[in-house]
């Protein structure tokens, strides 16, 4: 099966570990992620302003690229890209006036009327591949690995774009269960990590991150799984500082769910690019017998 | 000093502007405080999110401008999701930011961000931050 | 009809209508020969003028406008018939007061046109006189249904009281103590339950449900399903040996399915729901009974001294005829799982569950414990408006009783755990009943209940504690309480199955399933079907005094019907 794939900026740079592990895993599951031609930045954050359309151009242009390759669906892996593209798509579908304005403004492009469906990779795994078929393909069950799925904001909010139950999501739980991991449920799974405040208020982000990580640890997690490069940076990079400010905190690896997927499907660990993770997960994975030394 | 409340204030251009940018009116807010109770950033805010809405309801623009609240909001949308009255508070926060930023005022000075931070941050953190916090 | 008169009523309550335009618009309608407008036609002078006009103009049909046809139709009918016309020769058109002035004239024209159309279709009616069957059906054996049954029975009429659970008593008998007087229901409701059970005029059909209803006021035919209890209640003497011997435990309905350490709140697979049950008769729960699940057991059968156990029993049906019906089907609480941002946890419970923990006759004998580990909670958080006043996620209405029962909980908790602390999150404190505000003041002053003004956004387990994230909007602070037990004041909903029952009775319900009264102010006891009355929470959330008052009120409405021997029914004549 071929699926149009929108990578976004971060997956091509800082989050190569996310992209490589995702593309390789999907190939192993029989899904060929075909990168869109001429994609541009999605805009990262969806614009809330009712009185302007300018900020919707970037995401909508990407949706036009999808339409151009005659695809009716586009897969995103980055949670932020998913959120922005999905919401821009909803705007186009639900607001004929704005749709008109945008189409008129982009006269050099073909008209776009919401023909494309925006999905996140987790949805593809759940709805098209299926948990059962994934668990059948598992070569190396993540036995004994206690992982806390962390959803953050953009996969779930607002309600209209939620890939699962907004308050009690299970989609990543279900995936990790299919991979044989011991799933750790914790109350901060949908709390915000501080997001782009890392730019102007990094101390406040530390506060959020500590709340999340300390809760995951209290509930017995050895690692956190997520899908968002923003959360990955905040939860991972902040640990250096937290080790100094919170005595006894030894750190906890943060992994993309796709890295755990690739590993359990028996792919070459090289595709996981663990060297890019902010907290090296290899010692933990080795201790669980999931990585040959 | 008493704060004078009058129709001039509660129907001021500022209130109209907020409603225009965020596309909803604010009277439905009944000040239950649920937004503040669940806000992940409210620990750092000088005024709670529900107080910001109240100040908009009263047209007290200067008090909002004096507090850091709207610049601390991380647009996580937890408030909007749980609001019992359907007030999309995340949108209100953005409208209030835009009222400042459209005057060409940046909240974050790009030139003041250290080089190593820029080198370290993932692209989406920078683009997202600049989009939310700069004109 | 050849000589139709149109009477336009207006008053200060209705926006100004351009009467000239109205008359112009309807003047050339077929049959219309007379039109007039009166200020306050509903008052005696106006009504007199209508009567005179009918006679003077020799009218054979009339259209009258009214702000509330439901209220005025009867009055208008008296005037029109006293002027020599028959009921079918009159139609009342509705002119609503809230219409904007601009549209009022056009609305009036449309309403009159439609009324003229109805008048043209109107045919002489034949009235039949139906003798009233002076027997009443009361559906629901809670305090409202009990009060209604007793009042009717005391007036000398037969009552059939249908209750879907094995015993009457309803929600009230589950409560610990009642606000604001702190009477215990076991003391104040049990006598009424016993009276009901022993009253010569009351027949209780417990463990039964209304299956179907036909007929009209004066003579309804009702089919009732008597659910199989697998016990012959005629033979049974209520000794209770069966439930002592039964070896299978299950979560108990009466204890709100509380799962307490040591299974102390469980019941047996054959059970009498509680010690004061009326009737004092057991039922077998097929889901758990070993005879039904495993195919063999029969411990109860062997133990029963009168041979009342009957595993072969089937549901049976009885058909009864009654002259009028009172619906008193009560309420359920919204399930806690509806508040998705609150975790599901044994130590996060709802108000009825807490009632059972507080109840001196309850599973813990009134000792307050945490369901998870049986420990005494030292800090308890009570959360108001869970699902209520939340049009986005729950119901928009106020459930009316939570403010009072949560403070009662807090106070009773302090009495049970003197070194404990109670916190109540609230938005507004709504205490309008007699003695209610004083009760709150007492709880704050004497029992040191701490009120925090704000909604709660998240409740979750954190190790041994339950964490509650709320806000105190009075200080502008976000607050967190690590407590041992959280009690949710969940919204009141009409009891399960009340929508289906309303369909069987052909009575209207609102969008939440509460049964609609005929008029929100002036007919609060009547349903939308003549001869069917409403009592208690089936019509909307209310507390015990209001439910009892409505039960008594519905009974007196029914009794005024029964004071007549026949009812006149009008039906369109078959031409």
């Amino acid at each position: 099966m071929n699926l149009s794939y929108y990578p976004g900026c971060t997956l091509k740079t800082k989050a190569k570990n996310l992209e490589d592990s995702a593309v390789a895993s999907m190939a192993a599951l029989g899904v060929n992620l075909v990168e869109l031609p001429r994609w541009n930045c999605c805009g990262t954050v969806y614009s809330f302003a009712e009185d302007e359309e300018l900020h919707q151009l970037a995401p909508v242009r990407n949706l036009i690229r999808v339409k151009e390759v005659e695809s009716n669906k586009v897969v995103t892996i980055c949670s932020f890209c998913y959120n922005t593209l999905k919401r821009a798509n909803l705007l186009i579908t639900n607001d004929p006036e704005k749709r008109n304005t945008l189409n008129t403004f982009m006269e050099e492009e073909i008209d776009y009327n919401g023909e494309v469906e925006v999905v996140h990779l987790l949805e593809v795994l759940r709805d098209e591949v299926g948990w059962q078929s994934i668990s059948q393909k598992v070569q190396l069950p993540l036995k004994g690995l206690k992982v806390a799925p962390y959803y953050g904001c953009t996969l779930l909010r607002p309600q209209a774009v939620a890939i699962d139950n907004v308050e009690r999501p299970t989609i990543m739980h279900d995936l990790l269960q299919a991979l044989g991991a011991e799933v750790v449920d914790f109350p901060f799974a949908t709390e915000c990590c501080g997001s782009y405040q890392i730019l102007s208020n990094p101390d406040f982000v530390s506060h959020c991150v500590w709340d999340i990580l300390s809760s995951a640890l209290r509930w017995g997690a050895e690692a956190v799984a997520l899908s968002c490069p923003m959360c990955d940076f905040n939860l991972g990079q902040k640990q250096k500082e937290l080790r100094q400010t919170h005595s006894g905190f030894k750190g906890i690896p943060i992994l993309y769910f796709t890295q755990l997927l690739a590993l359990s499907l028996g792919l070459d660990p090289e595709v996981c690019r663990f060297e890019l993770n902010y907290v090296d997960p290899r010692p933990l994975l080795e201790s669980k017998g999931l990585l040959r030394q | 000093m008493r704060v004078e409340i009058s129709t001039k204030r509660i129907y001021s251009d500022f209130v109209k502007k907020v409603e225009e940018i965020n596309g909803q009116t604010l009277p439905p807010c009944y000040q239950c405080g649920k937004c503040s109770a669940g806000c992940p950033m409210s620990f750092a805010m000088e005024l709670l999110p529900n107080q910001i809405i109240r100040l908009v309801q009263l047209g007290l623009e200067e008090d909002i401008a004096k507090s850091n609240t709207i610049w601390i909001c991380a647009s996580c949308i937890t408030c909007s999701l749980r609001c019992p009255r359907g007030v999309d508070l995340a949108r209100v926060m953005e409208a209030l930011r835009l009222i400042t930023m459209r005057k060409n005022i940046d909240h974050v000075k790009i030139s003041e961000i250290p080089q190593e931070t820029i080198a370290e941050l993932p692209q989406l953190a920078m683009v997202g931050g600049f989009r939310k916090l700069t004109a | 009809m050849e000589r139709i008169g149109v009477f336009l009523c207006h008053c200060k309550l209705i926006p100004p209508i351009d009467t000239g335009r109205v008359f112009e618009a309807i003047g050339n309608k077929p049959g219309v020969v007379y039109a007039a407008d009166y200020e306050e036609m509903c008052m005696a002078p106006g009504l007199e003028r209508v009567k005179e006009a009918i006679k003077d103009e020799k009218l054979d049909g009339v259209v009258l406008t009214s702000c509330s046809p439901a209220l005025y139709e009867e009055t208008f009918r008296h005037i029109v018939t006293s002027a020599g016309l028959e009921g079918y020769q009159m139609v009342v058109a509705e002119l609503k007061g809230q219409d904007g002035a601009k549209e009022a004239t056009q609305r009036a024209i449309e309403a009159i046109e439609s009324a003229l159309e109805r008048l043209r279709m109107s045919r002489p009616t034949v009235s039949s006189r139906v003798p009233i069957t002076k027997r009443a059906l009361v559906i629901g054996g809670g305090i409202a249904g009990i009060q209604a049954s007793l009042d009717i029975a005391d007036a000398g009429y037969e009552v059939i009281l249908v209750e879907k659970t094995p015993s009457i008593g309803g929600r009230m008998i589950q409560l610990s103590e009642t606000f604001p007087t702190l009477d215990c229901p076991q003391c104040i409701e049990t006598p009424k339950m016993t009276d009901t059970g022993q009253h010569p005029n009351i027949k209780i059909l417990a463990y039964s449900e209304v299956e179907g209803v036909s007929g009209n006021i004066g003579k309804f035919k009702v089919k009732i399903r008597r659910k199989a209890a697998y016990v012959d209640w005629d033979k049974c003497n209520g000794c209770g040996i069966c439930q002592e011997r039964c070896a299978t435990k299950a979560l108990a309905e009466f204890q709100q399915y509380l799962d307490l350490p040591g299974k102390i709140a469980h019941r047996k697979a054959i059970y009498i729901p509680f010690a004061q049950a009326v009737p004092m008769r057991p039922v077998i729960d097929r889901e758990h009974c070993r005879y039904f699940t495993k195919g063999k057991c029969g411990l109860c059968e062997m133990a029963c001294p009168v041979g009342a156990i009957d595993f072969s029993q089937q549901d049976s049906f009885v058909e009864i005829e009654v002259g009028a019906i009172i619906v008193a089907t009560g309420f359920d609480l919204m399930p806690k799982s509806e508040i998705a941002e609150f975790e599901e946890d044994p130590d996060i419970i709802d108000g009825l569950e807490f009632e059972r923990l507080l109840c001196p006759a309850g599973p813990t004998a009134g000792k307050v414990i945490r369901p998870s580990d049986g420990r005494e909670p030292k800090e308890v958080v009570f959360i108001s408006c869970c699902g209520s006043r939340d049009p986005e996620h729950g119901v928009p209405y106020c459930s009316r009783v939570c403010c009072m029962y949560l403070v009662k909980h807090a106070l009773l908790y302090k009495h049970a755990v003197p070194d404990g602390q109670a916190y109540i999150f609230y938005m507004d404190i709504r205490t309008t009943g007699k003695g209610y505000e004083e009760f709150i003041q007492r709880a704050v002053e004497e029992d040191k209940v701490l009120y925090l003004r704000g909604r709660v956004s998240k409740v979750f387990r954190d190790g041994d504690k339950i964490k509650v994230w709320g806000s105190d909007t009075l200080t502008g602070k976000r607050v967190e309480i690590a407590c041992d037990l959280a009690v949710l004041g969940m919204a009141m909903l009409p009891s399960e199955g009340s929508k289906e029952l309303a369909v069987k009775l052909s009575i209207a319900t609102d969008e939440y399933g509460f049964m609609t009264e005929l008029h929100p102010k002036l007919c609060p006891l009547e349903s939308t079907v003549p001869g069917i009355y409403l009592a208690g929470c089936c019509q909307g959330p209310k507390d015990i005094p209001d439910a009892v008052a409505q039960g008594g009120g519905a009974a007196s409405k029914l009794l005024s019907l029964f004071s007549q021997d026949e009812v006149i029914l009008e039906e369109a004549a078959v031409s």
Side-chain angles (χ1 to χ4, degrees), chain C residues 149-168:
Chain C
S149 300
L150 286 172
D151 287 355
I152 299 164
D154 285 345
Y157 299 104
E158 207 185 316
V159 178
I160 293 169
L161 173 56
V162 172
E163 165 57 44
K164 74 176 170 187
T165 74
S167 169
I168 61 167

mmCIF file of all heavy atoms in Angstrom, chain C residues 149-168:
data_model
loop_
_atom_site.group_PDB
_atom_site.id
_atom_site.type_symbol
_atom_site.label_atom_id
_atom_site.label_comp_id
_atom_site.label_asym_id
_atom_site.label_seq_id
_atom_site.Cartn_x
_atom_site.Cartn_y
_atom_site.Cartn_z
ATOM 1 N N SER C 149 -49.832 7.527 46.778
ATOM 2 C CA SER C 149 -50.614 6.313 47.021
ATOM 3 C C SER C 149 -51.376 6.409 48.341
ATOM 4 O O SER C 149 -52.566 6.085 48.412
ATOM 5 C CB SER C 149 -49.694 5.085 47.069
ATOM 6 O OG SER C 149 -49.020 4.954 45.846
ATOM 7 N N LEU C 150 -50.683 6.843 49.381
ATOM 8 C CA LEU C 150 -51.325 6.923 50.695
ATOM 9 C C LEU C 150 -52.486 7.920 50.685
ATOM 10 O O LEU C 150 -53.556 7.647 51.232
ATOM 11 C CB LEU C 150 -50.300 7.325 51.767
ATOM 12 C CG LEU C 150 -49.311 6.234 52.180
ATOM 13 C CD1 LEU C 150 -48.238 6.811 53.091
ATOM 14 C CD2 LEU C 150 -50.032 5.072 52.873
ATOM 15 N N ASP C 151 -52.280 9.076 50.041
ATOM 16 C CA ASP C 151 -53.339 10.094 50.022
ATOM 17 C C ASP C 151 -54.575 9.590 49.287
ATOM 18 O O ASP C 151 -55.705 9.810 49.715
ATOM 19 C CB ASP C 151 -52.820 11.390 49.364
ATOM 20 C CG ASP C 151 -51.857 12.138 50.273
ATOM 21 O OD1 ASP C 151 -51.673 11.696 51.430
ATOM 22 O OD2 ASP C 151 -51.278 13.146 49.821
ATOM 23 N N ILE C 152 -54.349 8.887 48.184
ATOM 24 C CA ILE C 152 -55.487 8.378 47.410
ATOM 25 C C ILE C 152 -56.183 7.263 48.196
ATOM 26 O O ILE C 152 -57.410 7.212 48.300
ATOM 27 C CB ILE C 152 -55.025 7.853 46.028
ATOM 28 C CG1 ILE C 152 -54.377 8.981 45.220
ATOM 29 C CG2 ILE C 152 -56.196 7.256 45.262
ATOM 30 C CD1 ILE C 152 -53.563 8.501 44.030
ATOM 31 N N ALA C 153 -55.353 6.397 48.765
ATOM 32 C CA ALA C 153 -55.916 5.261 49.498
ATOM 33 C C ALA C 153 -56.690 5.742 50.728
ATOM 34 O O ALA C 153 -57.768 5.229 51.032
ATOM 35 C CB ALA C 153 -54.794 4.307 49.911
ATOM 36 N N ASP C 154 -56.141 6.752 51.402
ATOM 37 C CA ASP C 154 -56.828 7.280 52.582
ATOM 38 C C ASP C 154 -58.161 7.912 52.206
ATOM 39 O O ASP C 154 -59.085 7.974 53.016
ATOM 40 C CB ASP C 154 -55.956 8.322 53.293
ATOM 41 C CG ASP C 154 -54.819 7.673 54.071
ATOM 42 O OD1 ASP C 154 -54.878 6.443 54.284
ATOM 43 O OD2 ASP C 154 -53.879 8.399 54.458
ATOM 44 N N ALA C 155 -58.278 8.406 50.995
ATOM 45 C CA ALA C 155 -59.536 9.006 50.552
ATOM 46 C C ALA C 155 -60.545 7.930 50.161
ATOM 47 O O ALA C 155 -61.669 8.240 49.766
ATOM 48 C CB ALA C 155 -59.275 9.938 49.369
ATOM 49 N N GLY C 156 -60.123 6.672 50.229
ATOM 50 C CA GLY C 156 -61.077 5.584 50.033
ATOM 51 C C GLY C 156 -61.017 4.914 48.667
ATOM 52 O O GLY C 156 -61.877 4.101 48.340
ATOM 53 N N TYR C 157 -60.012 5.237 47.882
ATOM 54 C CA TYR C 157 -59.938 4.617 46.559
ATOM 55 C C TYR C 157 -58.811 3.594 46.499
ATOM 56 O O TYR C 157 -57.806 3.700 47.211
ATOM 57 C CB TYR C 157 -59.739 5.681 45.478
ATOM 58 C CG TYR C 157 -60.873 6.659 45.419
ATOM 59 C CD1 TYR C 157 -60.736 7.944 45.947
ATOM 60 C CD2 TYR C 157 -62.101 6.290 44.866
ATOM 61 C CE1 TYR C 157 -61.781 8.844 45.907
ATOM 62 C CE2 TYR C 157 -63.162 7.185 44.829
ATOM 63 C CZ TYR C 157 -63.002 8.464 45.352
ATOM 64 O OH TYR C 157 -64.037 9.346 45.325
ATOM 65 N N GLU C 158 -58.994 2.647 45.596
ATOM 66 C CA GLU C 158 -58.029 1.583 45.416
ATOM 67 C C GLU C 158 -56.804 2.111 44.649
ATOM 68 O O GLU C 158 -56.956 2.863 43.677
ATOM 69 C CB GLU C 158 -58.702 0.486 44.593
ATOM 70 C CG GLU C 158 -58.170 -0.896 44.817
ATOM 71 C CD GLU C 158 -58.853 -1.867 43.852
ATOM 72 O OE1 GLU C 158 -60.097 -1.781 43.678
ATOM 73 O OE2 GLU C 158 -58.138 -2.672 43.276
ATOM 74 N N VAL C 159 -55.629 1.708 45.060
ATOM 75 C CA VAL C 159 -54.392 2.142 44.386
ATOM 76 C C VAL C 159 -53.573 0.911 44.009
ATOM 77 O O VAL C 159 -53.411 -0.005 44.823
ATOM 78 C CB VAL C 159 -53.510 3.024 45.304
ATOM 79 C CG1 VAL C 159 -52.217 3.405 44.607
ATOM 80 C CG2 VAL C 159 -54.262 4.265 45.754
ATOM 81 N N ILE C 160 -53.071 0.899 42.798
ATOM 82 C CA ILE C 160 -52.092 -0.125 42.432
ATOM 83 C C ILE C 160 -50.757 0.588 42.268
ATOM 84 O O ILE C 160 -50.640 1.523 41.472
ATOM 85 C CB ILE C 160 -52.516 -0.858 41.158
ATOM 86 C CG1 ILE C 160 -53.776 -1.654 41.498
ATOM 87 C CG2 ILE C 160 -51.408 -1.786 40.671
ATOM 88 C CD1 ILE C 160 -54.501 -2.225 40.360
ATOM 89 N N LEU C 161 -49.809 0.195 43.068
ATOM 90 C CA LEU C 161 -48.498 0.851 43.073
ATOM 91 C C LEU C 161 -47.484 -0.088 42.419
ATOM 92 O O LEU C 161 -47.194 -1.163 42.939
ATOM 93 C CB LEU C 161 -48.093 1.183 44.514
ATOM 94 C CG LEU C 161 -46.676 1.726 44.758
ATOM 95 C CD1 LEU C 161 -46.404 2.972 43.934
ATOM 96 C CD2 LEU C 161 -46.467 2.034 46.232
ATOM 97 N N VAL C 162 -46.982 0.327 41.259
ATOM 98 C CA VAL C 162 -46.032 -0.494 40.516
ATOM 99 C C VAL C 162 -44.612 0.011 40.778
ATOM 100 O O VAL C 162 -44.347 1.208 40.650
ATOM 101 C CB VAL C 162 -46.337 -0.450 38.998
ATOM 102 C CG1 VAL C 162 -45.252 -1.141 38.195
ATOM 103 C CG2 VAL C 162 -47.684 -1.102 38.723
ATOM 104 N N GLU C 163 -43.730 -0.887 41.162
ATOM 105 C CA GLU C 163 -42.350 -0.513 41.472
ATOM 106 C C GLU C 163 -41.421 -1.487 40.739
ATOM 107 O O GLU C 163 -41.608 -2.693 40.811
ATOM 108 C CB GLU C 163 -42.142 -0.587 42.989
ATOM 109 C CG GLU C 163 -40.697 -0.589 43.461
ATOM 110 C CD GLU C 163 -39.884 0.611 42.994
ATOM 111 O OE1 GLU C 163 -40.389 1.738 43.047
ATOM 112 O OE2 GLU C 163 -38.724 0.394 42.555
ATOM 113 N N LYS C 164 -40.408 -0.959 40.062
ATOM 114 C CA LYS C 164 -39.593 -1.867 39.246
ATOM 115 C C LYS C 164 -38.566 -2.659 40.056
ATOM 116 O O LYS C 164 -38.137 -3.727 39.658
ATOM 117 C CB LYS C 164 -38.957 -1.137 38.064
ATOM 118 C CG LYS C 164 -37.806 -0.225 38.381
ATOM 119 C CD LYS C 164 -37.211 0.353 37.088
ATOM 120 C CE LYS C 164 -36.228 1.459 37.401
ATOM 121 N NZ LYS C 164 -35.749 2.148 36.202
ATOM 122 N N THR C 165 -38.139 -2.117 41.195
ATOM 123 C CA THR C 165 -37.184 -2.877 42.016
ATOM 124 C C THR C 165 -37.973 -3.780 42.972
ATOM 125 O O THR C 165 -39.199 -3.684 43.053
ATOM 126 C CB THR C 165 -36.277 -1.912 42.821
ATOM 127 O OG1 THR C 165 -37.042 -1.349 43.889
ATOM 128 C CG2 THR C 165 -35.723 -0.801 41.960
ATOM 129 N N PRO C 166 -37.300 -4.640 43.732
ATOM 130 C CA PRO C 166 -38.037 -5.564 44.598
ATOM 131 C C PRO C 166 -38.738 -4.890 45.778
ATOM 132 O O PRO C 166 -39.580 -5.519 46.416
ATOM 133 C CB PRO C 166 -36.952 -6.531 45.099
ATOM 134 C CG PRO C 166 -35.840 -6.419 44.128
ATOM 135 C CD PRO C 166 -35.870 -5.007 43.641
ATOM 136 N N SER C 167 -38.369 -3.627 46.091
ATOM 137 C CA SER C 167 -39.027 -2.987 47.238
ATOM 138 C C SER C 167 -39.348 -1.539 46.928
ATOM 139 O O SER C 167 -38.648 -0.886 46.156
ATOM 140 C CB SER C 167 -38.104 -3.019 48.464
ATOM 141 O OG SER C 167 -38.618 -2.190 49.487
ATOM 142 N N ILE C 168 -40.403 -1.033 47.590
ATOM 143 C CA ILE C 168 -40.651 0.409 47.519
ATOM 144 C C ILE C 168 -39.655 1.106 48.454
ATOM 145 O O ILE C 168 -38.941 0.460 49.215
ATOM 146 C CB ILE C 168 -42.114 0.751 47.889
ATOM 147 C CG1 ILE C 168 -42.437 0.322 49.322
ATOM 148 C CG2 ILE C 168 -43.080 0.103 46.903
ATOM 149 C CD1 ILE C 168 -43.739 0.904 49.853
#
